[in-house]
Structure formats: C-alpha cells, structure tokens
Amino acid sequence: MMMAGAAKTLTNLCPSFPFPTKPQNQLTTSHAFPSTRLRHRAISAVANAAQPPLAAATATEGQYRVDVLSESLPFIQKFRGKTIVVKYGGAAMKSPELQASVINDLVLLSCVGLRPVLVHGGGPEINSWLGRLNIPAVFRDGLRVTDADTMEIVSMVLVGKVNKTLVSLINKAGATAVGLSGMDGRLLTARPAPKAADLGYVGEVARVDPAVLRSLIDTSHIPVVTSVAADESGQPYNINADTVAGELAASLGAEKLILLTDVAGILEDRNDPDSLVKKIDIKGVKKMMEDGKVGGGMIPKVNCCVRSLAQGVITASIIDGRVPHSLLLEILTDEGAGTMITG
C-alpha cells in the first residue's frame, strides 16, 4: 500500500505505541516510500556492493527512518497546534487491526502537536445488542427508526460501551482521552428531525457549546464524543455522527474535518473505483451532486462537509478508512487517502 511503510515508521515516534519496530523489506514494498527520491536512495544503499550485507541493511533502515521523519516535518509544522475533528466509523470500527491503526494514528498526531477530537457512532454494535434483546432494527430512508426502547439501547451502547472502549484504547496507547456525549457540559442540544413522526427519537443538532471541549483540548486531552444528545426538556436523541462531527468542527474553528468511510472517496464515475477525485472545491462538488455523480450514502457526507466549510472549517476530507494508517496518509503526505474538499 502506498505510504504504508512511512506511516508505520511515523507511528514509532511515541515509544508507548504497540507497533513492531522492524521495518518492512524495502525491496519488496517499494510503495512504502514517501517519494521516488527516497525510494531510489534506499535502493541504492541496499545495492551498494562495497558495504558488508549487514552494514548495508542497517544503514538503509536507519536512513529510511530519518528520511520519512524529515519529509514529515513540513506537514507537522503546518498542522501543529491546529484542531482536527475525525469522525470514526465503518470498517475501521469493525476490524480490530484497523481500529488499532486509527487509535495509534490519533495518539501520534497528538504527540507531534495536533489537537484531535474523535467523534463516533456505532451502528453495528447497536444492531448486535438489539438482536440480543429481540428488538427489531428498523430503517426508513437509511435512517434508524428509534422508538423509546431503541433509544434506551442506543444510549447504553454508544455512551456506556463504545465510547468508554475507545477512551480505554486511546489511554492504553499512551495519550489521555475523555469520553463525552452531547449531554455532557451542554456540548450539544438536540431537536427532533423533520421526519420525527416516522423516525421517533432521531434528532438534529440545534446548538453547540464547545466550552467543555476547549478546556480538554487546551490541556492536551483527546475528547471522544458520541452522537447522543438531549433536547431542552432532557429527552435523548440519536443524531447522525457525521452531522455531529461537522457541527463540532465548525464550532471549534477546526483546521480539518475528516470522515472515515468504507469507500475510496468521491468518484468521478461511481462505477469506476479508479476515478477518485483527489481534490475539489465546494462549487465543483455541488456540480457533481447536480449531475448525479454523487449519490446514495455519499450525499449526506458531502453535505456535512460543505456545511462545515461554509462555517469556517478550512478543509474537509472523505477518506478510505479501510486503508491502514489512513489518517497519517491524509494529514502527513501530499498523496492523501481520499477526497479533500476546499472552501
């Protein structure tokens, strides 16, 4: 995978990370190098017949690590001190390997001076617990129908289980995380969704008060926010996690919003996985939507990105969460890991 080796090398910056320190074989994984220049440099070092084989290999490994760190410096300088909001879900939440990748990427980014905020849902976990309790999962137009019993399960699973599991994993990886729902510190105030009569306790974000987040971010904590919030009367609502991430990014004046998905990004041709659009502005992506090139589950994600950009977020990216270390690839490389939308 392009840049995978570089990403793995970067994760070794913080000694608490549970990643192996032995690098990949550079001759068999050429895509692991961050640039052609680095690839040629490492290959020539390996091929230098004047050095003993062991010494040549050691020099190559050390030079490779130094080169990766050196080329990461401009990206670290660009984002140091900046807030990034990451919406976590999809395959990256279901696979233990991808979950470890996301967690360690977040901790590394925090170590080098970025200010990450993690937002999550947990649809598969909710479905699993509903099944255990013999409560049917019902969807209309892609949205979960959330009656009182379902809302109780949603709150228990997202706030009590998924959120605390993620907090524990981040703490284990060497950072300090704090778990929150929208109800904590009046972070989010909800209101019923327009189709509440059909959907039950499905809500929208009515208001954001980021004060509790700012205090955590300013003290180098990683906030982990789940997408459950209450209205003015205290009634809990289930809110789309993409929407929550976008609204939090806007309220925090984030440098970047990142949505982890199960697709490569926005495709010029939905039937051609090789037609990835790497970078596009708001005008361009709206034109793609008008032309029907963006459809299905991608529409609410794009709308979320556009809304956050309109409220001051600098860039928003829809990236492939199935790719290991996709967060590092998106932030610390020119190639990125999906589609970046600009204002």
Side-chain angles (χ1 to χ4, degrees):
M1 194 74 208
M2 180 172 291
M3 291 300 298
K8 181 173 284 189
T9 295
L10 285 166
T11 58
N12 289 320
L13 274 172
C14 294
S16 58
F17 286 7
F19 278 95
T21 57
K22 184 177 179 182
Q24 298 179 11
N25 185 318
Q26 278 77 33
L27 289 178
T28 59
T29 57
S30 62
H31 289 303
F33 293 92
S35 68
T36 303
R37 173 170 60 82
L38 292 187
R39 182 162 64 249
H40 289 169
R41 185 185 301 163
I43 290 175
S44 64
V46 173
N48 188 346
Q51 291 181 310
L54 181 59
T58 302
T60 300
E61 292 172 7
Q63 186 63 54
Y64 168 67
R65 290 175 181 275
V66 169
D67 286 337
V68 169
L69 291 172
S70 177
E71 288 211 343
S72 300
L73 179 60
F75 299 98
I76 293 172
Q77 290 174 321
K78 175 182 177 181
F79 287 103
R80 183 174 178 81
K82 302 294 178 61
T83 299
I84 60 167
V85 176
V86 178
K87 186 269 177 170
Y88 173 54
M93 183 172 274
K94 291 179 262 186
S95 161
E97 294 77 16
L98 291 175
Q99 185 178 69
S101 169
V102 171
I103 295 299
N104 283 277
D105 286 0
L106 278 173
V107 175
L108 184 143
L109 293 172
S110 178
C111 280
V112 298
L114 281 74
R115 295 148 58 102
V117 176
L118 186 66
V119 178
H120 69 88
E125 191 79 17
I126 293 170
N127 291 341
S128 173
W129 280 93
L130 288 174
R132 294 187 193 187
L133 297 171
N134 296 316
I135 300 174
V138 180
F139 292 85
R140 289 182 186 150
D141 298 325
L143 297 173
R144 183 186 300 277
V145 176
T146 308
D147 59 16
D149 289 340
T150 302
M151 187 64 236
E152 189 173 4
I153 301 302
V154 167
S155 293
M156 288 191 295
V157 171
L158 294 186
V159 180
K161 186 174 188 299
V162 177
N163 187 267
K164 301 315 171 193
T165 297
L166 292 173
V167 168
S168 178
L169 289 171
I170 292 172
N171 290 344
K172 182 181 177 183
T176 304
V178 177
L180 301 165
S181 73
M183 292 174 277
D184 294 306
R186 299 181 184 270
L187 175 58
L188 301 171
T189 301
R191 65 180 173 225
K195 297 182 179 179
D198 297 324
L199 297 173
Y201 297 110
V202 173
E204 296 180 334
V205 176
R207 187 170 62 254
V208 181
D209 180 355
V212 66
L213 285 188
R214 293 190 191 280
S215 64
L216 292 171
I217 294 168
D218 289 344
T219 52
S220 301
H221 293 81
I222 299 179
V224 181
V225 182
T226 192
S227 55
V228 173
D231 64 13
E232 296 285 2
S233 70
Q235 170 61 50
Y237 283 87
N238 183 23
I239 305 177
N240 179 275
D242 292 332
T243 301
V244 169
E247 295 299 318
L248 290 179
S251 70
L252 290 167
E255 179 77 13
K256 195 170 187 65
L257 168 67
I258 299 176
L259 306 182
L260 288 168
T261 69
D262 288 343
V263 295
I266 299 174
L267 303 178
E268 179 68 29
D269 179 353
R270 280 187 279 170
N271 299 316
D272 180 5
D274 294 325
S275 64
L276 177 66
V277 177
K278 298 290 289 183
K279 187 175 181 180
I280 191 169
D281 60 16
I282 290 178
K283 183 178 178 181
V285 79
K286 284 184 175 179
K287 180 67 164 56
M288 289 186 70
M289 294 175 70
E290 291 170 2
D291 294 343
K293 293 181 178 180
V294 175
M298 187 60 71
I299 292 177
K301 295 183 184 300
V302 169
N303 284 334
C304 165
C305 291
V306 169
R307 178 173 170 80
S308 67
L309 291 169
Q311 297 181 83
V313 175
I314 306 302
T315 64
S317 295
I318 299 172
I319 70 172
D320 193 345
R322 301 168 299 178
V323 177
H325 301 297
S326 55
L327 280 179
L328 295 187
L329 293 171
E330 177 61 27
I331 294 172
L332 299 182
T333 74
D334 285 321
E335 289 82 358
T339 300
M340 183 170 71
I341 307 173
T342 60

